[in-house]
Amino acid sequence: MIELRTAREIDEMKAAGEFVASTLAALKARADVGVNLLELDAFAHELIRQRGAESCYLDYAPSFGSGPFGYVLCTSVNDAVLHGKPHSYRLHDGDLLTLDFAANVDGWVADSAISIVVGTASEQDLELIRLTERALDAGIAAAVIGNKIGDISHAIGSVAAEAGLRVNTEFGGHGVGRTMHGDPPVPNSGRPGRGYPLKEGLVIAIEPWFMRGTDKLRVDPDGWTLRSADGSRTAHSEHTIAVTADGPITLTRRLG
């Protein structure tokens, strides 16, 4: 069921957005060569505890995963793009790391993701990250009253198509509110003018994720981590936004 939020509820959701954004900024600053993915997860866990927030991932057990996720942070490295389960891996120079984080603050959820390169970055990796960020900006710009979900999807997919990338639509954006994943789904490619009409009060996560050489996924033995089928590099950017009469509000806007 699609739920629309009042202006007051959207204002209440800002605290969750600010916490998720600040946590990702802190994680980005801490991620470095030699840092273990489990250390990053433990750090995020501590920030959740200090804030009095709740993790959206810890006990999450959807149909597409294998049992409860068990961690508070998704850490996807290099060819991993989504749902990367933290494990004992120390980051190497040049690793492309995606951090995906969602939390509940005072009953409201926000969800966001960033991709960064640890240490020495190749221009190809930086360009892939920039493409996801450009697609995210395009999707947000299309999130206005009078448009439809397909307009957001088309805006995202057009950025990928212009760069010669194929888009996987098995996983994409989604409604956000009292829970992390809700309706409507927001695919990363689609036809303009199609789908659910965007209305004031709609809160969604928009999350373009691209793979350099394929649109096919494979699943790790952990039952969660999704990787590019051909081993090519991947990147992922995500914001939680609200559709308002004055245009989209990015609840997880990153400062600095």
Side-chain angles (χ1 to χ4, degrees), residues 10 24 30 52 69 74 87 92-93 121 148 157 179 251:
I10 290 172
L24 284 174
R30 180 160 291 216
F69 187 72
C74 289
H87 58 285
H92 296 97
D93 186 51
K148 295 186 177 182
T179 60
L251 299 173

Side-chain angles (χ1 to χ4, degrees), residues 28-50:
K28 178 181 178 180
R30 180 160 291 216
D32 202 353
V33 176
V35 172
N36 196 301
L37 298 181
L38 293 176
E39 294 174 40
L40 293 176
D41 183 75
F43 178 55
H45 208 147
E46 176 60 18
L47 293 177
I48 290 172
R49 186 195 67 78
Q50 291 176 8

Side-chain angles (χ1 to χ4, degrees), residues 183-213:
D183 291 327
V186 187
N188 286 327
S189 184
R191 297 177 64 180
R194 299 296 184 92
Y196 180 78
L198 304 182
K199 301 176 182 178
E200 185 172 6
L202 180 68
V203 179
I204 54 176
I206 300 175
E207 52 175 315
W209 54 275
F210 299 152
M211 300 181 284
R212 175 63 69 182

